Amino acid sequence: MKLGIRGKLFTVFLSLIAACIGVAYIFMRTQLESGVSARIQKSLVTHAEIVADQVRSVRLAPDDLNSWDALADSIGKMGSVRVTLIRRDGVVVGDSDVARSALSQVENHAQRPEVLDAMQTGQGHAERLSATVREPMAYVAVRVGSDARGNFPSVAQKGNGQATPFTGVVRVSTPLREVEAAISDLRRALGFATALALMLAVLLSSLAAQLASRGIRTLVEAAGRMARGDLDVRIRMSGTDEFAQLSLALDQLAQGLSSTVEQLSEERDRLGAILRGMQEGVLVLDVNGYVTLTNPALREMLLLGQDAIGKMVLEVLRHTELKELLDRAGTATEAVSTVLEVGGLKPRVLLARAARLRTEEGGVFAVFVDVTEMRRLESLRRDFVANVSHELRTPVAAILSATETLEGAPDQDAKARKRFLPIIARNAERLGQLVEDLLELSRIESRELKLNLESIDLAMAVEHAVALFLERAEKRNLTIHQDVEPNKYWVTGDRRALEHVLTNLIDNAVKYSSLGGTIRTHVEVSEGFTKLMVENSGPGIASKHLPRLFERFYRVDAGRSRELGGTGLGLAIVKHMTEAMKGTVSVQSTEGVGTTFTVALRNAPEERTGSSTRIAVAVAPVDAEADVSG
């Protein structure tokens, strides 16, 4: 059975008290028993001396057994003890417990121990089973009738048949059962006192254990609450004993732990906030190669779940180069790095740097930087430089070629001038348009384009843009339908940027519509947005080209685009400007039917338009077979 502190203290106290009482009981019993025996022995000695004195004063004939036995009976009756008169030759001449008729059958007592001691020293003691009365007896014998040296008078001196003093041994005895009865009574009294003392000891032990364990229980309860995380508990026990000192130490410990835990919590929260806010991915492995920490950025990069903790790296991400990097970092003295290409649903290019943790636990710490966008931009930059170089080379080469031809032609050659001057003018105009588009796109991407967002009447913006292309449309026998009601559709945007978007879309529609075709602008309203669509009846665009149509310098038919003066940047500018106005642009096309460009802009505030319908513009471009430029 498992005892608590109170039970243990009770057991200890009770055991100590019981041991003390037991020792006291044994000692007192021994002392009392020996004391009772000594008192009985002393009483017998006293009786023996009294009997001896009485016997000395009596003078009887040595052989008068009747008289001596009567004397023994008389003295024994008065003293309530057994009196035995033994002549010096060992013959019993009187015994208070033996009838006169049986005296002759009593054994000679000369060799009894107490008689021998009395003959030799004057007094003898013994305890034994009486051969005469057949029960345990205590004996005291006293010598009578001897001189100072213990010598008896000779037989001749005594006279024959005359009355003489008694010479021999007077013995007094008492049954030991009386001694045992007295000792038994003493034992019962002592046992009762001991039992009473034990009961009192139980009560006192319980009270002492209760008092002693009260402080310990308080300390244990407080320590348990501290172990469960309640560091605000305080004990504050009064006094100067060890319990009070221990309670003070526990209070100081709790205060120190509370301060330490608070600091650790702040550090943990700060570290957690840093890890959550980092764009770089963080991975920590223990010394055995198991994942112990990942931050949200890394889980997003590598599409990892929360269950990655506690697993091997290869269990959560099967990437040989990453495993080799982490293995090298675990044994290298310096940090190691490499570029990793991660495939899957979300392909990534990561710059990874790993180093061994300089702690007792060991392990590896790795940081991952997502350079996917950087690599894409580098690729775009290379492509852009190559495309710009290519686009600039063609008009510059045409201008140089035409100029060289004119320089070599005679001054009177009007035919040559008529032929080559338009080439120079057309390519110079194309070159200027290309430079202007590049500057415009650069301003947009570098966020230098400052937009002034306001409420704009979509119908007026469309009408202004269409008016710029009416003459060119007539030359190609194109019909432009403007199905946008005035003062009804108001959108939020920048007036100049919206005009740039619309002119690019309508310009593309005019360029790439079939001769005698139709261009139509109309509006649809959706929740929070207005969509302006520009449709044309051109040859349409194959579906494989649609995803890349808004990329810079992307052309469906590069030869025809250059022939029509396109720079390949128009639709890219449309996309960037629309997104700068918090809108979107999309394209739909069917080969042989036509193309629709849709620009969706946010509706203007209701109080500005005075209309219950709010629209952000959506423009449908002309036939997308053309290049992405305007």
Side-chain angles (χ1 to χ4, degrees):
M1 182 177 64
K2 190 174 182 181
L3 296 177
I5 185 66
R6 180 179 176 183
K8 291 180 180 178
L9 289 175
F10 173 76
T11 303
V12 170
F13 291 155
L14 184 60
S15 299
L16 289 175
I17 295 175
C20 293
I21 292 176
V23 172
Y25 172 79
I26 294 173
F27 175 77
M28 291 176 64
R29 175 179 172 177
T30 302
Q31 291 296 319
L32 289 174
E33 288 180 356
S34 62
V36 170
S37 298
R39 283 195 299 272
I40 293 175
Q41 190 74 25
K42 186 177 181 180
S43 176
L44 290 177
V45 171
T46 302
H47 279 82
E49 293 291 345
I50 293 173
V51 172
D53 290 341
Q54 292 177 346
V55 170
R56 289 191 186 97
S57 62
V58 176
R59 292 178 176 272
L60 295 173
D63 297 329
D64 189 359
L65 299 182
N66 291 328
S67 298
W68 288 116
D69 184 60
L71 178 62
D73 292 342
S74 174
I75 296 174
K77 188 174 183 180
M78 289 188 297
S80 299
V81 293
R82 178 187 175 190
V83 176
T84 305
L85 302 179
I86 306 168
R87 287 193 320 218
R88 63 180 182 174
D89 57 359
V91 176
V92 177
V93 296
D95 192 317
S96 61
D97 286 357
V98 178
R100 166 69 185 83
S101 59
L103 282 179
S104 59
Q105 300 176 3
V106 176
E107 294 179 356
N108 189 288
H109 282 36
Q111 300 302 318
R112 296 289 194 268
E114 67 277 10
V115 175
L116 288 175
D117 290 341
M119 290 293 188
Q120 295 174 2
T121 64
Q123 192 178 90
H125 309 273
E127 290 182 1
R128 68 175 187 280
L129 178 67
S130 174
T132 304
V133 298
R134 300 298 178 183
E135 63 175 313
M137 301 289 287
Y139 299 95
V140 173
V142 176
R143 186 177 60 194
V144 178
S146 63
D147 57 16
R149 296 182 179 181
N151 297 318
F152 290 96
S154 62
V155 177
Q157 292 175 328
K158 294 172 56 178
N160 188 13
Q162 297 180 358
T164 60
F166 180 78
T167 59
V169 175
V170 174
R171 188 181 71 178
V172 178
S173 64
T174 186
L176 286 177
R177 65 174 180 275
E178 297 181 3
V179 177
E180 291 295 333
I183 293 176
S184 178
D185 292 340
L186 179 63
R187 287 174 181 173
R188 282 195 295 272
L190 189 58
F192 177 77
T194 302
L196 185 61
L198 283 176
M199 292 177 60
L200 183 61
V202 170
L203 294 177
L204 294 177
S205 298
S206 178
L207 180 60
Q210 176 74 17
L211 294 176
S213 64
R214 181 184 302 171
I216 296 178
R217 289 201 305 272
T218 302
L219 294 173
V220 170
E221 181 182 356
R225 291 174 60 185
M226 291 179 190
R228 292 189 294 272
D230 183 8
L231 299 180
D232 294 329
V233 62
R234 295 294 182 270
I235 305 171
R236 298 185 178 89
M237 294 180 63
S238 60
T240 58
D241 59 4
E242 288 78 2
F243 288 158
Q245 295 176 7
L246 180 57
S247 69
L248 179 61
L250 284 177
D251 287 346
Q252 294 174 347
L253 176 62
Q255 185 175 357
L257 285 176
S258 178
S259 177
T260 302
V261 169
E262 184 177 355
Q263 293 177 1
L264 291 176
S265 298
E266 292 177 357
E267 292 292 334
R268 179 201 61 194
D269 295 341
R270 185 181 299 112
L271 179 60
I274 292 173
L275 290 175
R276 288 191 299 271
M278 289 178 62
Q279 294 183 350
E280 296 80 8
V282 176
L283 173 67
V284 179
L285 306 181
D286 63 14
V287 68
N288 297 317
Y290 290 92
V291 177
T292 59
L293 185 145
T294 60
N295 69 335
L298 181 68
R299 293 194 292 271
E300 182 181 357
M301 286 180 192
L302 304 179
L303 300 179
L304 302 179
Q306 290 286 359
D307 58 348
I309 304 299
K311 296 182 178 179
M312 300 292 290
V313 174
L314 289 180
E315 292 184 60
V316 298
L317 184 66
R318 297 187 180 277
H319 198 287
T320 305
E321 294 182 12
L322 174 60
K323 181 65 169 59
E324 293 176 353
L325 173 71
L326 297 174
D327 289 343
R328 283 192 288 119
T331 57
T333 56
E334 300 293 336
V336 294
S337 59
T338 188
V339 176
L340 304 174
E341 293 187 3
V342 181
L345 298 176
K346 194 176 182 180
R348 293 286 185 186
V349 180
L350 305 177
L351 176 60
R353 182 180 177 85
R356 182 160 53 91
L357 291 172
R358 309 293 181 180
T359 61
E360 294 181 1
E361 293 80 8
V364 176
F365 174 83
V367 177
F368 299 83
V369 180
D370 189 350
V371 295
T372 305
E373 184 65 17
M374 185 183 300
R375 292 299 176 92
R376 187 185 71 82
L377 293 177
E378 289 179 357
S379 177
L380 289 176
R381 180 183 59 80
R382 289 192 297 268
D383 294 343
F384 179 76
V385 172
N387 289 329
V388 169
S389 300
H390 180 72
E391 294 295 332
L392 291 176
R393 187 183 299 114
T394 301
V396 169
I399 291 172
L400 289 175
S401 177
T403 302
E404 291 174 357
T405 301
L406 286 177
E407 287 177 351
D411 295 338
Q412 298 81 9
D413 192 351
K415 185 177 180 181
R417 288 197 301 275
K418 185 177 181 180
R419 178 183 176 187
F420 290 106
L421 285 176
I423 294 175
I424 293 174
R426 184 172 65 253
N427 283 281
E429 180 182 357
R430 182 166 177 267
L431 187 59
Q433 184 64 43
L434 181 61
V435 172
E436 182 65 27
D437 287 347
L438 287 173
L439 291 174
E440 187 73 25
L441 188 61
S442 176
R443 283 195 296 271
I444 295 173
E445 291 184 342
S446 62
R447 303 184 185 276
E448 293 180 2
L449 180 64
K450 303 299 181 182
L451 299 181
N452 181 25
L453 297 180
E454 57 180 331
S455 298
I456 303 172
D457 184 357
L458 189 56
M460 291 183 62
V462 174
E463 182 179 355
H464 178 72
V466 169
L468 298 177
F469 299 96
L470 288 177
E471 184 178 351
R472 287 173 55 187
E474 290 177 359
K475 289 181 180 180
R476 302 196 64 200
N477 196 24
L478 298 175
T479 302
I480 300 179
H481 295 285
Q482 183 181 348
D483 300 332
V484 183
E485 297 181 26
N487 201 32
K488 181 177 181 181
Y489 303 107
W490 292 78
V491 296
T492 299
D494 180 83
R495 193 173 300 277
R496 178 175 173 274
L498 180 57
E499 290 178 355
H500 201 140
V501 168
L502 295 179
T503 54
N504 268 284
L505 293 176
I506 295 175
D507 182 34
N508 267 3
V510 172
K511 286 179 182 178
Y512 299 105
S513 291
S514 302
L515 295 176
T518 301
I519 299 173
R520 178 172 175 260
T521 61
H522 62 96
V523 173
E524 290 183 0
V525 180
S526 63
E527 184 178 355
F529 285 86
T530 297
K531 297 179 180 179
L532 174 63
M533 286 156 281
V534 179
E535 300 178 359
N536 68 58
S537 57
I541 304 172
S543 58
K544 65 180 181 179
H545 298 294
L546 295 180
R548 301 188 59 190
L549 204 57
F550 293 96
E551 293 180 8
R552 291 171 293 187
F553 298 110
Y554 185 79
R555 294 183 175 90
V556 177
D557 187 345
R560 185 182 179 192
S561 176
R562 291 192 183 94
E563 180 183 345
L564 297 175
T567 62
L569 297 173
L571 290 181
I573 293 174
V574 168
K575 179 176 181 293
H576 283 81
M577 283 192 168
T578 303
E579 291 177 349
M581 294 185 289
K582 309 300 181 183
T584 60
V585 61
S586 59
V587 60
Q588 292 179 338
S589 183
T590 303
E591 291 187 82
V593 177
T595 303
T596 300
F597 281 89
T598 302
V599 174
L601 295 177
R602 292 180 300 168
N603 294 337
E606 186 172 349
E607 60 272 12
R608 171 65 184 83
T609 64
S611 171
S612 60
T613 305
R614 297 295 165 266
I615 300 175
V617 178
V619 181
V622 294
D623 185 33
E625 171 209 62
D627 71 349
V628 187
S629 63

